[in-house]
Amino acid sequence: MKRVLLSFALLSVILPGQAAFAGGSIERACLNANRAAASRALCGCIQDVANAMLTSNERAKVVKFFKDPHRSQATRQSDRSSDERFWIKYKRFGQAVTSHCRR
């Protein structure tokens, strides 16, 4: 559980609120974050993991989380089965980013 929370925290620091764009939206959001940890290599890796694990609609949802963090909490706490399935997938995505995108 700590790893999931750490992954989410890492992503929320690296990926600020940005409008969702088709293809590469997470990478662009990451690069536009103006964070010391954001680099082409790291942001590209995060995008690669997202491309491998998430649908385009799910990637757009992830980008929107960083524009409106409350949306992520609403999704996490939602009773809708589709939100519950997405949140499980999103946690796996965060774990994969943590393990595959190390410096």
Side-chain angles (χ1 to χ4, degrees):
M1 185 64 163
K2 285 183 183 179
R3 223 180 153 137
V4 172
L5 293 174
L6 178 61
S7 298
F8 183 73
L10 173 66
L11 288 173
S12 66
V13 168
I14 293 172
L15 301 174
Q18 299 289 325
F21 297 100
S25 59
I26 291 173
E27 181 178 11
R28 279 192 297 277
C30 178
L31 289 171
N32 291 329
N34 295 323
R35 304 278 186 192
S39 68
R40 287 201 177 276
L42 177 60
C43 296
C45 181
I46 293 168
Q47 183 68 56
D48 290 343
V49 173
N51 290 347
M53 296 185 71
L54 305 173
T55 67
S56 60
N57 288 339
E58 291 166 339
R59 291 190 302 269
K61 188 178 228 182
V62 169
V63 171
K64 289 178 184 178
F65 281 173
F66 299 101
K67 183 175 184 178
D68 179 10
H70 177 71
R71 181 178 281 179
S72 67
Q73 290 303 309
T75 301
R76 183 179 67 82
Q77 295 173 342
S78 172
D79 290 332
R80 293 179 52 201
S81 61
S82 62
D83 287 340
E84 291 174 8
R85 284 190 306 273
F86 171 78
W87 195 256
I88 290 168
K89 194 172 183 179
Y90 179 70
K91 288 192 308 186
R92 286 189 197 130
F93 164 70
Q95 291 169 335
V97 166
T98 297
S99 64
H100 294 300
C101 300
R102 295 182 186 209
R103 290 180 170 213

